[in-house]
Amino acid sequence: MRESPPVDVIVVGAGFAGMYAIHRFRELGLNVQVFEAGSDVGGTWYWNRYPGARCDVPSLEYSFGFSEELEQEWDWPEVFSAQPDILRYANHIADKFKLREHITFNTRVISVTWDEATRGWEITTDDNETHRAPFCVMATGCLSVPNKPGIPGADTFAGLELHTGLWPHEDVDLTGKRVGIIGTGSSGVQAIPELARQAETLHVFQRTPVYTVPANRKAMRDAVQQEFKDNYRAIRDMQQSNAGGVSNFRPVKSVQRAAADTDPGAIADVPPDGQPNFRGGNNNIKDLSPAERRQRVIERGLNELLNFRDVYTDPEANDIANELFRNAVRYMVKDPETAESLCPKDYGIGCKRQVLDRDYYDTFNRDNVTLVDLEQESIREITPTGVQVGDEHYDLDVLVYATGFDAMTGALLKANVSGRGGHTLNEKWEHGPVAYLGLQMQGFPNLFTVTGPGSPSVLCNMLVAIEQHVNWIGDAITYLRDNGLATMEPTAAAETEWVAHVNEVAEGTMYTAPSCNSWYLGANIPGKPRIFMPYVGGYPRYRERCEQVVANSYEGFQFT
Ligand code: N01
């Protein structure tokens, strides 16, 4: 085992969180070392290269606000950008701020151990090296450990096996291939129309149908982008007071200008409410008559169903919206049996992360696409030549897993973290994640998590959440240094109170309805404790609490 010279902070992961951590901590005069399993920066956007991958938050909002120069010089080609453009943005940031010199790539952290003698962290990497630092920041992402379900025979498949979350860097040519895909969450729904266009045949193995609505697919208009750039300071402020960290800034001038030119696309290419903001409408679906509701969907599309407030709080309103949604699917998909299979019936809108698509339902009208409904019979086994469901065997050349991630806690638990007294994080989180503000865990001094469980994280614009967390962590480390303190960690009482609050605000929402089984609850991983992991109380409320904690001399934390 070789040992490298100590640094001030070790950061695990070089996605957007790890990248901003380098920049911020370096500004604070800290010596930073990052370890990244991939061969380059970008995290989620580095790994998820499957055809169709794109973000569900408008790009002008899903961008960093820490550098005005960066804001002004970067141009987005689409309102909701595709993975290659977001990865280009990440690379631009790495180049511009010279981040790579702090990153060791192709290196996975395999253990993170507290050393009481030196009051610091000892990090072991898979190249047999140990590294030491008084502070360790886990920037490991919320959706970074791909889930491959333990289907019997899974390792026997002799064709090409792919996972959306581990897609190869080189082009995958599916021309003339018989392709199967397991999973119809966000990844599957984005990939399916693209795979159908390329493959000879596509079989979609669906366990649970999804409520998906059309994504905004407009190219970026220069005038809209410029107006954002002209107003970025105000926009960043607006993000800070929005529940999902999205400003919803309306570029008035550009719209007026386009309207004067009688451009019918003018309004439509204004970034609409992003993913996190669907839940904020002021109208109630129950205030409309059945005829009015139908008319609304016909006129404004499926997305309209997501803009009613009561759909997220009132089970009866939820049922109304769900049925309208199903009727639309029955209308869009020509084969009645396929349409019926695509209709979600066992849970409601708002339970899972909203899925956005491009041509999803229409894809099932193609001759080369077959839906295999697993509701009655699950996949019995994977064979060397395909997938066996009941008595039916589906011959495949390529099998794609779009089966999601061990979300929120997966990467943290996989890192083999052991804290004070040799107690492990896996022991501490045996019954679900316990953390104060999603930032720190009692018993794990000087270890910080970026967008950890118990923080808004995946319910917020990630880049906004990341900046807030990294800034908070940087300030905390500075506070320790300025006050001659060696360590900080939460008190058990503060941690317990916060976890109770996180649970309390999630109760009574569609997210935690008994019929709901989402990765937010850990329900997609067999044996994982069923706990609602992100903080649903809204980003502003959370941010204010973090600020209040600091103003009260780090209330809820203990120091040595
Ligand atoms: O994963 P998922 P994902 N047999 O867990 C199925 C973000 N994201 O990668 O529902 C058969 O949602 C499983 O079925 P079921 C976004 O936050 C964002 O699609 O468990 N099927 C489900 O259909 C998103 O929410 C973007 O019954 C099996 C699917 O696999 C999150 O990532 C794009 C199975 C997994 O769906 C995760 O999305 C992509 C089995 N044994 C991802 N096991 C955008 O920004 C699992 N499944 C747009």
Side-chain angles (χ1 to χ4, degrees), residues 50 54 56 183-187 190 207-208 353 402-404 519:
Y50 61 88
R54 66 176 59 239
D56 55 4
T184 52
S186 296
S187 305
Q190 285 187 329
R207 190 164 68 180
T208 309
R353 178 154 183 113
T403 43
W519 58 260

Side-chain angles (χ1 to χ4, degrees), residues 291-517:
E292 286 170 331
R293 293 167 194 156
R294 270 198 309 279
Q295 196 54 31
R296 278 280 189 100
V297 176
I298 290 165
E299 279 169 13
R300 301 188 191 182
L302 271 179
N303 301 54
E304 182 63 10
L305 292 174
L306 311 177
N307 288 328
F308 293 104
R309 186 180 293 273
D310 55 352
V311 165
Y312 300 100
T313 52
D314 177 348
E316 206 181 306
N318 193 257
D319 281 347
I320 292 169
N322 300 340
E323 188 53 21
L324 282 165
F325 189 97
R326 289 189 284 266
N327 284 339
V329 174
R330 289 172 188 130
Y331 174 78
M332 288 185 285
V333 178
K334 289 183 188 134
D335 174 52
E337 204 180 319
T338 304
E340 214 44 47
S341 290
L342 286 167
C343 288
K345 298 191 182 87
D346 299 335
Y347 68 99
I349 290 170
C351 135
K352 302 190 184 194
R353 178 154 183 113
Q354 185 54 50
V355 178
L356 305 180
D357 73 86
R358 296 181 166 213
D359 306 329
Y360 183 65
Y361 291 112
D362 204 32
T363 298
F364 293 93
N365 294 328
R366 293 175 67 109
D367 291 339
N368 68 334
V369 176
T370 308
L371 182 73
V372 183
D373 189 344
L374 303 174
E375 199 200 346
Q376 302 301 333
E377 267 182 302
S378 53
I379 298 173
R380 188 192 295 169
E381 63 171 334
I382 311 272
T383 70
T385 53
V387 170
Q388 184 80 39
V389 180
D391 296 335
E392 193 87 41
H393 186 270
Y394 299 91
D395 292 339
L396 301 174
D397 304 308
V398 180
L399 179 57
V400 178
Y401 287 89
T403 43
F405 303 89
D406 185 353
M408 309 274 312
T409 56
L412 294 166
L413 294 176
K414 213 176 149 191
N416 294 312
V417 181
S418 71
R420 233 187 252 290
H423 297 298
T424 66
L425 190 60
N426 295 55
E427 288 163 356
K428 183 175 174 91
W429 285 5
E430 192 188 349
H431 303 296
V434 178
Y436 185 35
L437 300 169
L439 276 163
Q440 267 213 309
M441 289 77 70
Q442 188 258 328
F444 299 82
N446 292 4
L447 181 81
F448 298 90
T449 53
V450 183
T451 63
S455 74
S457 57
V458 289
L459 300 181
C460 184
N461 178 349
M462 262 297 171
L463 272 69
V464 169
I466 284 169
E467 278 192 66
Q468 187 254 341
H469 260 197
V470 170
N471 289 341
W472 194 98
I473 294 166
D475 289 350
I477 293 174
T478 307
Y479 177 83
L480 288 175
R481 295 207 142 185
D482 290 351
N483 291 283
L485 299 164
T487 70
M488 75 181 279
E489 65 186 287
T491 64
E495 201 174 58
T496 307
E497 176 268 331
W498 181 253
V499 171
H501 174 62
V502 171
N503 288 328
E504 184 193 307
V505 289
E507 254 171 52
T509 65
M510 290 298 159
Y511 287 125
T512 53
S515 60
C516 187
N517 288 308

Side-chain angles (χ1 to χ4, degrees), residues 117-415:
T118 57
R119 287 197 293 194
W121 288 95
E122 183 181 291
I123 277 83
T124 314
T125 44
D126 61 359
D127 54 358
N128 217 22
E129 290 230 10
T130 56
H131 313 266
R132 289 176 181 278
F135 300 97
C136 179
V137 175
M138 303 298 284
T140 41
C142 294
L143 294 158
S144 49
V145 176
N147 166 44
K148 183 181 167 191
I151 301 172
D155 295 332
T156 66
F157 184 62
L160 176 62
E161 180 190 300
L162 300 165
H163 193 295
T164 48
L166 292 170
W167 202 263
H169 286 214
E170 58 280 4
D171 280 347
V172 181
D173 185 7
L174 300 174
T175 318
K177 298 281 196 292
R178 298 163 302 173
V179 178
I181 180 166
I182 304 174
T184 52
S186 296
S187 305
V189 165
Q190 285 187 329
I192 285 163
E194 298 296 326
L195 300 179
R197 280 182 202 114
Q198 295 173 26
E200 178 75 21
T201 57
L202 179 68
H203 282 86
V204 177
F205 298 93
Q206 173 198 273
R207 190 164 68 180
T208 309
V210 67
Y211 293 98
T212 170
V213 300
N216 179 320
R217 49 208 293 173
K218 290 268 178 180
M220 184 66 77
R221 288 161 50 97
D222 290 347
V224 170
Q225 180 139 253
Q226 190 53 50
E227 201 167 337
F228 260 78
K229 289 186 180 186
D230 293 344
N231 291 282
Y232 249 137
R233 294 286 52 77
I235 288 168
R236 299 302 180 194
D237 283 348
M238 288 157 80
Q239 289 177 334
Q240 293 300 312
S241 50
N242 174 274
V246 180
S247 78
N248 287 317
F249 171 76
R250 289 286 179 270
V252 181
K253 275 197 244 148
S254 321
V255 171
Q256 283 169 349
R257 208 175 305 140
D261 296 344
T262 59
D263 176 351
I267 304 284
D269 67 1
V270 173
D273 289 355
Q275 165 77 28
N277 280 53
F278 275 127
R279 305 159 184 272
N282 290 320
N283 302 321
N284 287 328
I285 201 165
K286 281 168 75 177
D287 293 343
L288 303 179
S289 71
E292 286 170 331
R293 293 167 194 156
R294 270 198 309 279
Q295 196 54 31
R296 278 280 189 100
V297 176
I298 290 165
E299 279 169 13
R300 301 188 191 182
L302 271 179
N303 301 54
E304 182 63 10
L305 292 174
L306 311 177
N307 288 328
F308 293 104
R309 186 180 293 273
D310 55 352
V311 165
Y312 300 100
T313 52
D314 177 348
E316 206 181 306
N318 193 257
D319 281 347
I320 292 169
N322 300 340
E323 188 53 21
L324 282 165
F325 189 97
R326 289 189 284 266
N327 284 339
V329 174
R330 289 172 188 130
Y331 174 78
M332 288 185 285
V333 178
K334 289 183 188 134
D335 174 52
E337 204 180 319
T338 304
E340 214 44 47
S341 290
L342 286 167
C343 288
K345 298 191 182 87
D346 299 335
Y347 68 99
I349 290 170
C351 135
K352 302 190 184 194
R353 178 154 183 113
Q354 185 54 50
V355 178
L356 305 180
D357 73 86
R358 296 181 166 213
D359 306 329
Y360 183 65
Y361 291 112
D362 204 32
T363 298
F364 293 93
N365 294 328
R366 293 175 67 109
D367 291 339
N368 68 334
V369 176
T370 308
L371 182 73
V372 183
D373 189 344
L374 303 174
E375 199 200 346
Q376 302 301 333
E377 267 182 302
S378 53
I379 298 173
R380 188 192 295 169
E381 63 171 334
I382 311 272
T383 70
T385 53
V387 170
Q388 184 80 39
V389 180
D391 296 335
E392 193 87 41
H393 186 270
Y394 299 91
D395 292 339
L396 301 174
D397 304 308
V398 180
L399 179 57
V400 178
Y401 287 89
T403 43
F405 303 89
D406 185 353
M408 309 274 312
T409 56
L412 294 166
L413 294 176
K414 213 176 149 191

